Amino acid sequence: MPRYNTVFESKEEIYGIVPRADDWVHYSALLKVKDGGKFPVILEMEFVPPHPFAFNMPEKHLIRAASITDAYAKLSKFFYKFGISFK
């Protein structure tokens, strides 16, 4: 299996809001773009406490995508599962 080189790497701070409870959700993420492969964009997210009222968010989440736009679309769908608006 070939190893691909990292072309771009960025530290991201991702926020979402729970409209019903007026709580914020915060993830610290690392965005990596590689120079090949089926899914060259990887977004590694780690939750920053405190958890929103009434439910717990996953501590870590990994998103693999074909483009950066696709990665953030998948992130928006991930937040939507929990009733969170992406900000």
Side-chain angles (χ1 to χ4, degrees):
M1 183 155 88
R3 289 248 177 213
Y4 297 109
N5 297 323
T6 301
V7 178
F8 178 77
E9 188 171 287
S10 173
K11 180 101 169 109
E12 304 287 326
E13 298 299 323
I14 300 169
Y15 293 93
I17 190 166
V18 183
R20 295 174 296 170
D22 199 31
D23 271 344
W24 286 88
V25 174
H26 179 205
Y27 275 92
S28 181
L30 183 64
L31 176 68
K32 291 182 185 178
V33 179
K34 302 212 175 207
D35 62 355
K38 186 174 181 180
F39 298 113
V41 178
I42 300 169
L43 186 63
E44 298 173 2
M45 303 178 352
E46 189 169 327
F47 186 77
V48 178
H51 286 280
F53 180 73
F55 64 92
N56 287 333
M57 294 295 295
E59 292 293 324
K60 294 187 179 189
H61 188 69
L62 179 71
I63 295 175
R64 295 179 186 269
S67 67
I68 294 174
T69 304
D70 188 32
Y72 278 96
K74 288 181 179 183
L75 172 66
S76 183
K77 287 179 187 177
F78 168 71
F79 276 174
Y80 185 74
K81 275 192 327 189
F82 293 97
I84 297 170
S85 298
F86 177 57
K87 295 290 178 184

